[in-house]
Amino acid sequence: MKTIVCITLKYWKKHLKSAATLLFSGVLLTAIIFTALMSLREECVRFYERAFDNMGHYEVLIANSDDELLAQALGGRTDCDYGVIYVLGKLGYRDNQFTYGTISDEHDLWHTPLKEGRMPVTANEIAAVRTVLDACYWVGECGDTITLNGTEYTVVGIIDEYYGKHREGSELCEYNTDIVDETEYYIPLIFVGDSSAEPLYRIDLIGGFFDFSDIGRGLYDTDDDIRYFESVLGDYDDYLYELVDHKGHWFDVNCEQNAWYTESKTRSVSFLMTIVWLGVGVSVLSVFSVLRGIFIERRGRISILKRIGVKKRLITVMYTFECTAFAVLQTIIGIAVGLAAYGGIYLVKTSLLGEKPYSAFTEIGIVYERTLDPFLYAGLISVSVIVAAYIINLLTTNISAKTPHKRKKLRSLSKGFRTAMRQSGITAVQIISLTLICFSVIVGYMYYTDNGKEPLMWLTYNNISEDYKANGFSMEKNNIEEYYYSNAMQINSFGEDRREITEYFPLIAEDFSRGFGDDIAAALPDTALITGNNEGTFVASSDKISGLAPIDLSNEIVRDTFIDLADDEHKNFFDEGNLGSKNMYRIPTKLTTSNAINRLTEYVTDGEINLEALNSGEEILLIYQSSEPPLAVGDAVTIYSALANENGYGLGEVKTVNVKIGAVIKLPPALSKLEKYILKSGFHCNFLTTATGAKSLGLSGAYTEVYSSEKLDGGIFPLSAEMRVISLSEEKWNTFIDRAAKFAGVALILVVMSLLGFAAYFNGIGLKIRQKAYELSVYRALGMSLHELRRRIFLDSVKIPVISSAAAYILVKTTQLIMEKGYDRLCAIYQGEMGTPELQDTLRNTLFLDNVMWQVNAEIPTLILFVIICIVTFILTAAALKKFSGDIAGDLNMGRTRL
Amino acid sequence: MITVENLCKTYGSGEGAVNALRNADLTIKDGELVAIVGKSGSGKSTLLNLLGGLDSATSGKVIYNDVDIMKMNEASLADFRLRKIGFVFQFYDLLPELTTEENILLPAQLAKNKSADISALAERLGLTDRLKHYPSQLSGGQQQRAAIARALINNPDVLLCDEPTGNLDQKTGDDVMELLLQLNKTEKRTIVIVTHNPEIAARCERTIEISDGTLIS
């Protein structure tokens, strides 16, 4: 026994390379499974964390509660987790006021979804929802200060927007708004640290109220479980309703998210699993392939042992000993490598890609019930694979007794060479692993590329490529790096629905005060395109102006409504001689900088641009598109603008401005759409002046948009300008981060799996050559040159990429066909022809029908893969044959020992 | 004629270097039957391998009819082995995946030698009914005869035999030796036999003794 162990150890000591290769394959197999299962567990954690982010982690919430109500709701239970929110009132900037409060929640039942930073601790610290901070025109970062209702706070945490949009009781809630409509007890959107202020009301949070262990097995494993829990929750729901209804409070019973996980496992998880199992398949083949080579290599030695009288039992012990050693080593090292890989992915996701720090190591108990234990299953599969590989190889690696060659026909040199070099086991492993790899890579390509894909009906698939837009203009095509904007002037048009918008009467619904003037514009680079717009200006004339369509207020009902809504001093608007009796024409006023106006000189068809006159309000420019300008240079024009009264649709004030047309300009068609946009409105013609000019004239308006080809210093804009920014590089980065965060795990596994599969294949090339060193030496001894040998081995090897690529292509085409048929079926179900909703889900989930993969061209990636594999095959074949450049006699001697 | 001049072969380097052959000088005439004898590890096989171009020399020359094969490139040397030399190894070195017939015909296929007559050769060597068998199905003597047939199939000028009877019993060994002698006598083929068996050496025209890498006689 001792001798056998000694022999085994000596063998492996002499064959460290083989041991390392076997261990490497086993370690990778274990690591892949472990990493994948950890990723899946993390996915599950993220699911629950997201659910808790959206809905809180409490089971019962009672708004405007008190001690008596809480005691009644608990029904004598003292073992529940408890948290409380004290609402202190409203905080904000100007009219934008939001509920704020403090929170005491050691069990994190409220589960505030912080986007960055932390929850506040001291009285002058706040954490607030992003949209709330936006509404307060705060453009800082965590750690900066904000002044709300005259008090300065430090923003220590930023809460995700969806907290405001999703949480029940949020005054910004966009879904299930019943509570928002009915209650005055809102949840806080701003949290402050300790506060001595007297709370207006409190919100109680209770966790651990429902005893899930009653079910005896995993939660909501079956529909019956779900029905059971719904009934329990329903009863408590009714009880709470009776308890709090008479006091007008609202409450929430909330633990349904436990039920969702099984059904809502995303298709990306399914895809990940598919890739993982393919990876496991490849790794298993890799282990088998390496071990088979080792068994073949040892055949001679084992035969010697048998001949000298070693019993079969001892040989079995020897194999058991080394199998156990490999199993233990590959499991321990594999899990350690898997942990490191998972840690790496986690770090990348959380540090670089900005994902929330939710890891697979969680305290959420349900996750452990819902997911496979990575340690246990990675270990089990790892051990099973190596044991199975040993048993199968032990049973199959025997020298089979040969019968005389029955074929009459002699094998040619090529056939004979192929026969001599044949290693069916390794070749099969190579073909299968390469086929799986090619298939996975092509499918991965099909999944993540938008090559030729057209979004189809019934599918949620979104085209992968993004067209980043700034106010409808493609940022990339128009070379826009940054787009600064503030809300445009709000115009409430008045007229008949059937009419064109150009013929509406414009009411400026708010006094315009956003944007910036020429002083700020002067500090911006010359290349920046700056514009502002006052769409509410119009002119009036007793005579008709040719080329313009008048505002149509001829309908009696419209007129009556107009008069009804108008302030008293405008009730006579349509009387003879008043504005309403004239022909009114909408001519909006566009604003742009002196620089931009100067560049228009060559397009002036009449008159002359006089910037001084423009800025002083003496003159204005007219941009027109028709063959003749509707107004002539030198014409004195009265520009009107109508301001709405308080109800927003009634006339409150009419402003008049007298000005002279300084020049008329016709823009050439060659001008880009963006350049036209900053000068020209969508109407037949428009006035054009600078912001200073508009101000001098007394017109509302300021520059509200900046299209810049370079990054600007956003701090140049005053807070009152209320400017926001879209940055192309940031948008691209965010998209990259989103995608990377979503696909990082799958991509990594795909890459590792591909490497593993290729390693198995390439290892096979080297292994075959090593195994056939003797045969190759005989061929050389008999007179075959190395060049000829290389050529024949390469030709022999290249059949594997050919077969694998063809097989992978057939598999891909079959997959595409099945997906397409599945999609057709899905369409038929949606159109009510046949099938059930369950079948819809099955089709969508099992066939990954969130992605039109079947529309992608599979030929090119197959061809590219084939060429790459062929090239690498050639290089590796040549490299593996390099060791044969020495003495043939030595190689022959080495080879003889194998036999 | 084969001329060996100042031939040396050293394995390894430094202190661990082994001088397998030291300054060997030798001439073998056409049609000569030469035995190279010596103890195990004396350098017999090294000399034979160098004569057949299976190994490269550290220094010195191996000249076949004015051509130094040590200066040949790999492809030329391979072609030289294919057409001019026939090898018979102690362990036969038949490819186990090929039949006896395929093994014998292998050099002919490599040399595209369509005139090779396996039938006559097989009959002469008593292998006619064993041609469709695999090497593992042949006895030691039959395997060695198959190896000799393979060595002869391209009708080479020189036959290099490395302990051709070393793995065979007395009777079979005698048969194989008889066959080699006959080949030398009837076909005037140059044959070099490496052996440590004095009886075999005695049957050869000339004996070259080698000891510790040095040719003695």
Side-chain angles (χ1 to χ4, degrees), chain A residues 779-791:
Chain A
Y779 270 101
R780 287 188 67 203
L782 295 179
M784 187 180 269
S785 69
L786 258 180
H787 171 76
E788 178 68 8
L789 211 59
R790 199 178 294 124
R791 189 182 70 83

mmCIF file of all heavy atoms in Angstrom, chain A residues 779-791:
data_model
loop_
_atom_site.group_PDB
_atom_site.id
_atom_site.type_symbol
_atom_site.label_atom_id
_atom_site.label_comp_id
_atom_site.label_asym_id
_atom_site.label_seq_id
_atom_site.Cartn_x
_atom_site.Cartn_y
_atom_site.Cartn_z
ATOM 1 N N TYR A 779 7.685 7.808 -38.101
ATOM 2 C CA TYR A 779 7.528 8.409 -39.433
ATOM 3 C C TYR A 779 8.784 9.161 -39.829
ATOM 4 O O TYR A 779 9.261 9.088 -40.954
ATOM 5 C CB TYR A 779 6.321 9.364 -39.446
ATOM 6 C CG TYR A 779 5.032 8.667 -39.836
ATOM 7 C CD1 TYR A 779 4.100 8.293 -38.885
ATOM 8 C CD2 TYR A 779 4.751 8.389 -41.168
ATOM 9 C CE1 TYR A 779 2.925 7.654 -39.230
ATOM 10 C CE2 TYR A 779 3.581 7.750 -41.537
ATOM 11 C CZ TYR A 779 2.673 7.380 -40.562
ATOM 12 O OH TYR A 779 1.525 6.753 -40.935
ATOM 13 N N ARG A 780 9.342 9.901 -38.846
ATOM 14 C CA ARG A 780 10.552 10.678 -39.150
ATOM 15 C C ARG A 780 11.724 9.735 -39.425
ATOM 16 O O ARG A 780 12.515 9.972 -40.342
ATOM 17 C CB ARG A 780 10.876 11.603 -37.988
ATOM 18 C CG ARG A 780 9.919 12.775 -37.890
ATOM 19 C CD ARG A 780 10.404 13.760 -36.851
ATOM 20 N NE ARG A 780 11.635 14.391 -37.278
ATOM 21 C CZ ARG A 780 12.513 14.946 -36.439
ATOM 22 N NH1 ARG A 780 12.293 14.895 -35.144
ATOM 23 N NH2 ARG A 780 13.597 15.520 -36.887
ATOM 24 N N ALA A 781 11.837 8.684 -38.621
ATOM 25 C CA ALA A 781 12.948 7.749 -38.798
ATOM 26 C C ALA A 781 12.883 7.113 -40.186
ATOM 27 O O ALA A 781 13.909 6.862 -40.819
ATOM 28 C CB ALA A 781 12.887 6.677 -37.721
ATOM 29 N N LEU A 782 11.639 6.907 -40.651
ATOM 30 C CA LEU A 782 11.479 6.262 -41.959
ATOM 31 C C LEU A 782 11.641 7.254 -43.109
ATOM 32 O O LEU A 782 11.644 6.847 -44.273
ATOM 33 C CB LEU A 782 10.116 5.593 -42.053
ATOM 34 C CG LEU A 782 9.908 4.421 -41.079
ATOM 35 C CD1 LEU A 782 8.516 3.846 -41.240
ATOM 36 C CD2 LEU A 782 10.949 3.334 -41.305
ATOM 37 N N GLY A 783 11.729 8.549 -42.795
ATOM 38 C CA GLY A 783 12.022 9.494 -43.864
ATOM 39 C C GLY A 783 11.008 10.583 -44.114
ATOM 40 O O GLY A 783 11.069 11.250 -45.142
ATOM 41 N N MET A 784 10.077 10.792 -43.174
ATOM 42 C CA MET A 784 9.132 11.900 -43.379
ATOM 43 C C MET A 784 9.761 13.171 -42.786
ATOM 44 O O MET A 784 10.214 13.164 -41.639
ATOM 45 C CB MET A 784 7.794 11.612 -42.695
ATOM 46 C CG MET A 784 6.726 12.650 -43.019
ATOM 47 S SD MET A 784 5.159 12.294 -42.216
ATOM 48 C CE MET A 784 4.342 11.314 -43.448
ATOM 49 N N SER A 785 9.774 14.245 -43.575
ATOM 50 C CA SER A 785 10.410 15.470 -43.091
ATOM 51 C C SER A 785 9.476 16.179 -42.100
ATOM 52 O O SER A 785 8.267 15.948 -42.082
ATOM 53 C CB SER A 785 10.721 16.392 -44.261
ATOM 54 O OG SER A 785 9.509 16.881 -44.784
ATOM 55 N N LEU A 786 10.095 17.055 -41.301
ATOM 56 C CA LEU A 786 9.301 17.803 -40.312
ATOM 57 C C LEU A 786 8.241 18.661 -40.979
ATOM 58 O O LEU A 786 7.119 18.783 -40.487
ATOM 59 C CB LEU A 786 10.235 18.721 -39.511
ATOM 60 C CG LEU A 786 10.627 18.241 -38.115
ATOM 61 C CD1 LEU A 786 11.532 19.249 -37.461
ATOM 62 C CD2 LEU A 786 9.392 18.007 -37.249
ATOM 63 N N HIS A 787 8.621 19.246 -42.107
ATOM 64 C CA HIS A 787 7.680 20.099 -42.840
ATOM 65 C C HIS A 787 6.446 19.295 -43.262
ATOM 66 O O HIS A 787 5.309 19.734 -43.080
ATOM 67 C CB HIS A 787 8.397 20.683 -44.071
ATOM 68 C CG HIS A 787 7.470 21.402 -44.998
ATOM 69 N ND1 HIS A 787 7.002 22.667 -44.699
ATOM 70 C CD2 HIS A 787 6.912 21.030 -46.178
ATOM 71 C CE1 HIS A 787 6.189 23.028 -45.678
ATOM 72 N NE2 HIS A 787 6.124 22.072 -46.582
ATOM 73 N N GLU A 788 6.719 18.107 -43.775
ATOM 74 C CA GLU A 788 5.627 17.235 -44.224
ATOM 75 C C GLU A 788 4.771 16.809 -43.021
ATOM 76 O O GLU A 788 3.538 16.759 -43.095
ATOM 77 C CB GLU A 788 6.241 16.004 -44.921
ATOM 78 C CG GLU A 788 5.249 14.957 -45.403
ATOM 79 C CD GLU A 788 4.386 15.463 -46.540
ATOM 80 O OE1 GLU A 788 4.636 16.553 -47.051
ATOM 81 O OE2 GLU A 788 3.423 14.748 -46.890
ATOM 82 N N LEU A 789 5.476 16.532 -41.916
ATOM 83 C CA LEU A 789 4.798 16.117 -40.698
ATOM 84 C C LEU A 789 3.863 17.233 -40.214
ATOM 85 O O LEU A 789 2.694 17.007 -39.871
ATOM 86 C CB LEU A 789 5.871 15.854 -39.633
ATOM 87 C CG LEU A 789 5.598 14.805 -38.583
ATOM 88 C CD1 LEU A 789 5.344 13.463 -39.220
ATOM 89 C CD2 LEU A 789 6.799 14.694 -37.651
ATOM 90 N N ARG A 790 4.380 18.470 -40.207
ATOM 91 C CA ARG A 790 3.602 19.636 -39.763
ATOM 92 C C ARG A 790 2.372 19.819 -40.641
ATOM 93 O O ARG A 790 1.268 20.059 -40.161
ATOM 94 C CB ARG A 790 4.507 20.873 -39.835
ATOM 95 C CG ARG A 790 3.992 22.031 -38.999
ATOM 96 C CD ARG A 790 4.927 23.217 -39.063
ATOM 97 N NE ARG A 790 6.214 22.962 -38.456
ATOM 98 C CZ ARG A 790 7.384 23.106 -39.063
ATOM 99 N NH1 ARG A 790 7.431 23.495 -40.319
ATOM 100 N NH2 ARG A 790 8.510 22.856 -38.461
ATOM 101 N N ARG A 791 2.619 19.676 -41.933
ATOM 102 C CA ARG A 791 1.519 19.867 -42.893
ATOM 103 C C ARG A 791 0.415 18.839 -42.644
ATOM 104 O O ARG A 791 -0.768 19.174 -42.584
ATOM 105 C CB ARG A 791 2.054 19.726 -44.323
ATOM 106 C CG ARG A 791 1.071 20.121 -45.409
ATOM 107 C CD ARG A 791 1.688 19.903 -46.775
ATOM 108 N NE ARG A 791 1.843 18.491 -47.101
ATOM 109 C CZ ARG A 791 0.869 17.725 -47.594
ATOM 110 N NH1 ARG A 791 -0.311 18.249 -47.824
ATOM 111 N NH2 ARG A 791 1.078 16.447 -47.859
#
